[in-house]
Amino acid sequence: MSGSKFFILHSSFFILFCTFADRMNKGHKETISTRFISTIFMVLAIAIFKPFGLEVWQWQAYVHLLAIFALGLFSCFLTEVILRYVVRMPRSYDHGVGYIISRNLRFQCINTPLVSLLICLYRHFVMSDLVEGNRLSMSNYLETLVIIAFLSFAIGLYWRFKFRSRYLAVELEETRLLNEQLKKLQAPNRPIPSPNRPIPSPTPDPSRGGEGSIYLNRGVSAEELSTPLPPAGGVGGGASRGGFAKVGASRDEATLTGTTNESVTLDISDLLYIEAVGNYVKVMHLHDGEVKTTMLRATMKQMEDTLQAYPMIVRCHRAFMVNLGQVEQISSNSRAMQLMMRHSHDAIPVSRSNVGRLKELLG
């Protein structure tokens, strides 16, 4: 290839990169620095191992390395634009460690095939004069993809190690905020999201001849959580199916029954958690200040339907329902979240699919 073509091609790469970097530089210095160092690492590795027939190009190999460097940077910043404006995942440390890890994985899944394709096209149009094997083909693309994927993995490990203290700080801050929100949720008069829940009227309703109730589309305080919605058949109405909760004389009591004759009557605030165990559910609750276990032949779906009137009783896992009022502490990291229960001191897992819902409730 003639020197004029080299000059025109690499000048175009340089101008394109400078223009793009100037636009991304506003408020993204750390991003640019990270991608710049990562691309340098990739180019140095290619310079050492000399794939793509670089050894036959002599001094021109350095020009090719410079071009690959420009392609790598362009691919990184293009991937950032895709993540920000298409995937709607801007770079941020404010959304927790899970968000950071998810975004980094998406970045690698987009950037690695993209930069591999750009390098393959460069090999075909620029480097195939002396090396016939650089012509565009599926095998060449897969070869390039494997090389770039390996380098991306190594670079990812480096940044993970470098930013481990920052990740740890984010995890600790996220856990602190969750526990802070939990304490606020457990405090008296704290509104809990629950649409159209009946709230006792502050004044008697003459049309009902006594104390009435009105429906307000607002939250419910922690003091009102023990008051369930009346069953469709009326307060205290019976049912033959397992899992029915009967409101007794004391409106904060409920009776959980199975498909057989077993049942347990408890104060909702004494309920710790419910766990699915085969064809049974294990109800962990307080009785005279002591932790007691009651086994009922029922399903978690029946328990969930029974207790849906109580906003503090939530499904956190396929096999668990917990009373947030009895959670002592939340333990959270990038791998898992657990709820540490009072009295029993059991650690209840929160499934990934329910983490977002729980955070939304606590928020």
Side-chain angles (χ1 to χ4, degrees):
M1 177 175 285
S2 65
S4 60
K5 287 185 178 180
F6 266 118
F7 177 77
I8 294 173
L9 181 63
H10 297 120
S11 295
S12 300
F13 277 135
F14 181 75
I15 293 172
L16 184 61
F17 162 69
C18 289
T19 303
F20 203 81
D22 181 65
R23 292 182 180 179
M24 291 291 291
N25 191 43
K26 299 175 181 178
H28 296 83
K29 291 183 178 180
E30 186 180 52
T31 300
I32 293 176
S33 174
T34 302
R35 303 313 177 199
F36 190 87
I37 295 173
S38 298
T39 307
I40 288 178
F41 181 90
M42 179 189 72
V43 172
L44 286 177
I46 292 176
I48 293 172
F49 295 104
K50 291 182 172 61
F52 318 139
L54 279 173
E55 67 277 359
V56 305
W57 284 95
Q58 300 179 1
W59 67 269
Q60 293 172 319
Y62 297 103
V63 181
H64 292 313
L65 288 173
L66 182 61
I68 292 174
F69 174 76
L71 287 172
L73 281 180
F74 174 76
S75 176
C76 286
F77 292 124
L78 182 58
T79 303
E80 287 287 347
V81 170
I82 293 173
L83 283 174
R84 184 178 184 86
Y85 298 105
V86 179
V87 186
R88 302 292 182 181
M89 293 188 72
R91 186 179 179 88
S92 173
Y93 290 98
D94 299 330
H95 300 294
V97 176
Y99 177 87
I100 297 173
I101 294 176
S102 177
R103 188 184 188 279
N104 287 342
L105 287 175
R106 283 174 169 80
F107 179 90
Q108 295 299 340
C109 289
I110 296 172
N111 183 68
T112 301
L114 179 59
V115 73
S116 300
L117 177 61
L118 293 176
I119 292 176
C120 274
L121 293 174
Y122 182 83
R123 290 173 60 188
H124 176 76
F125 290 109
V126 182
M127 300 178 64
S128 60
D129 290 351
L130 296 182
V131 182
E132 187 68 23
N134 278 330
R135 295 199 174 276
L136 186 62
S137 66
M138 181 57 69
S139 60
N140 277 352
Y141 177 73
L142 293 177
E143 174 195 14
T144 308
L145 185 63
V146 169
I147 293 172
I148 299 302
F150 174 77
L151 294 177
S152 297
F153 176 75
I155 294 169
L157 290 180
Y158 167 76
W159 289 119
R160 178 72 177 179
F161 177 79
K162 182 176 177 61
F163 289 137
R164 69 188 186 282
S165 59
R166 182 179 298 181
Y167 286 150
L168 179 60
V170 171
E171 286 182 350
L172 292 175
E173 178 64 13
E174 184 179 23
T175 302
R176 185 190 70 80
L177 291 175
L178 286 175
N179 281 286
E180 187 177 283
Q181 292 298 325
L182 176 65
K183 299 305 179 186
K184 291 180 180 178
L185 190 72
Q186 293 172 344
N189 301 320
R190 168 66 161 86
I192 309 296
S194 180
N196 300 325
R197 178 145 175 150
I199 309 298
S201 174
T203 57
D205 185 349
S207 65
R208 295 173 182 255
E211 290 190 354
S213 62
I214 57 175
Y215 282 79
L216 298 178
N217 190 12
R218 66 166 179 81
V220 185
S221 69
E223 293 177 342
E224 296 166 316
L225 294 177
S226 61
T227 305
L229 287 169
V235 176
S240 58
R241 292 194 303 173
F244 176 77
K246 181 175 67 176
V247 180
S250 177
R251 297 189 62 183
D252 58 358
E253 284 190 352
T255 298
L256 305 177
T257 64
T259 54
T260 55
N261 293 327
E262 298 91 350
S263 66
V264 56
T265 300
L266 48 80
D267 190 306
I268 288 298
S269 62
D270 289 337
L271 176 64
L272 300 180
Y273 66 88
I274 301 175
E275 179 183 1
V277 183
N279 295 327
Y280 290 81
V281 294
K282 180 171 69 174
V283 181
M284 298 290 292
H285 60 100
L286 297 177
H287 181 70
D288 294 333
E290 299 292 332
V291 178
K292 184 177 180 180
T293 301
T294 302
M295 301 296 293
L296 300 175
R297 189 175 181 85
T299 65
M300 289 296 287
K301 183 63 168 60
Q302 289 172 324
M303 295 295 102
E304 191 172 20
D305 291 342
T306 293
L307 299 169
Q308 64 181 343
Y310 302 94
M312 290 286 275
I313 313 298
V314 298
R315 185 81 172 264
C316 65
H317 188 275
R318 180 177 57 85
F320 289 94
M321 291 178 64
V322 298
N323 180 1
L324 291 179
Q326 292 288 0
V327 176
E328 184 174 18
Q329 186 179 20
I330 298 176
S331 173
S332 177
N333 55 45
S334 59
R335 294 174 297 277
M337 177 184 288
Q338 291 183 327
L339 306 177
M340 310 302 295
M341 305 304 299
R342 292 178 179 146
H343 306 290
S344 67
H345 307 295
D346 293 325
I348 307 300
V350 180
S351 62
R352 290 185 180 273
S353 59
N354 284 299
V355 168
R357 178 187 172 194
L358 184 61
K359 288 181 178 179
E360 182 179 352
L361 180 61
L362 292 176

